[in-house]
Amino acid sequence: MAGSSRGFKELKAEVFHNHIDFLSEELGDPKLYFPTLKARGVLDETDCENIRSKVTSKEKADTFVEIVYKRESSTGEPAFDVFVEVLLSEVVQAHIARVLLKAFAKRKPEAEGGRGH
């Protein structure tokens, strides 16, 4: 069972990474997500200051996506799941969450042990 959990974590990080350009283009203003992601432990104030310090909207979005991606892939925090929940709660951004969830669902059998059997 631990293997499946670890496989899902790695797969979610890969799905997130494969959609970084899409996310950066579609997200809009990252500061809209700060309160929820801070409350859920995905971002801290230093992260938010780092994102706000960027000059262009594209730089802000890119930095935001990279920070959330790194949290999922390196610290084990459930950033993918929290991020998708936040997107689903924003009606305007729900399409982004659906793209990520569809990509994860399509590849989920890989993490369930479908490989190498």
Side-chain angles (χ1 to χ4, degrees):
M1 295 238 168
S4 292
S5 176
R6 181 166 188 223
F8 284 161
K9 178 184 164 195
E10 291 169 353
L11 183 57
K12 287 175 181 179
E14 187 176 323
V15 167
F16 197 96
H17 185 266
N18 290 343
H19 289 82
I20 282 179
D21 290 337
F22 168 75
L23 292 168
S24 292
E25 292 171 11
E26 295 287 322
L27 278 175
D29 189 351
K31 71 181 176 188
L32 299 173
Y33 309 102
F34 289 177
T36 305
L37 293 177
K38 281 173 62 178
R40 300 286 296 272
V42 175
L43 296 178
D44 61 26
E45 189 56 38
T46 302
D47 297 326
C48 297
E49 288 174 16
N50 183 16
I51 295 163
R52 281 191 290 262
S53 74
K54 304 305 176 195
V55 177
T56 68
S57 297
K58 174 91 168 96
E59 289 172 333
K60 288 178 184 184
D62 288 347
T63 302
F64 173 72
V65 169
E66 282 295 326
I67 289 171
V68 174
Y69 166 70
K70 287 177 183 174
R71 290 291 155 78
E72 176 61 31
S73 63
S74 64
T75 69
E77 295 179 63
F80 180 94
D81 297 333
V82 173
F83 187 63
V84 168
E85 282 180 40
V86 170
L87 292 172
L88 287 171
S89 72
E90 298 289 329
V91 176
V92 175
Q93 302 297 6
H95 72 286
I96 299 171
R98 285 193 291 275
V99 168
L100 293 175
L101 290 172
K102 184 176 179 183
F104 174 71
K106 186 175 183 180
R107 305 230 1 241
K108 189 175 177 181
E110 294 174 25
E112 291 177 325
R115 269 187 277 179
H117 289 282

